[in-house]
Amino acid sequence: MSSLSTHVLDTALGRPAQGVPVQLYQADVVLATGATNDDGRLAFTPTLEPGTYRLWFDVATYAATTGQDIFFPEVSVTFLVADERHYHVPLLLSPFAFSTYRGS
């Protein structure tokens, strides 16, 4: 079984993005929900079998708390769990862009 965490950084404000609502999906089924902590981190408790998963980030809710105008109200990141390990999916946010990568 594999584990999963995420980390959201607000590159416009230069700090972790606290309170970003996040949902973990497999197909159209919500497996877990949560929000990033003071350090912009969230670890999910369900262990993951091999397969395709999706993290959905509610950027609009976060932007409303920081007073930022945004172009992307949500971000969806689909990824593949292929073997047993810890998967870390960071998200870098700004008002008009985002990026992600496979973390460690």
Side-chain angles (χ1 to χ4, degrees):
M1 298 290 208
S2 296
S3 59
L4 173 67
S5 62
T6 189
H7 189 198
V8 184
L9 298 173
D10 185 327
T11 60
L13 298 178
R15 65 182 187 212
Q18 177 185 1
V20 179
V22 185
Q23 294 180 335
L24 172 63
Y25 288 85
Q26 186 174 31
D28 289 330
V29 177
V30 177
L31 300 179
T33 62
T36 55
N37 65 15
D38 293 350
D39 195 32
R41 297 179 183 274
L42 175 61
F44 291 92
T45 54
T47 54
L48 307 179
E49 302 273 342
T52 302
Y53 295 86
R54 179 170 46 100
L55 285 174
W56 180 82
F57 299 86
D58 183 353
V59 178
T61 295
Y62 168 73
T65 67
T66 62
Q68 296 181 76
D69 291 329
I70 57 163
F71 183 69
F72 298 103
E74 59 185 51
V75 172
S76 182
V77 178
T78 303
F79 60 97
L80 181 64
V81 170
D83 51 11
E84 289 187 22
R85 66 173 59 206
H86 177 74
Y87 288 85
H88 184 65
V89 182
L91 179 66
L92 306 175
L93 288 178
S94 77
F96 303 106
F98 66 87
S99 64
T100 187
Y101 58 94
R102 180 178 172 178
S104 58

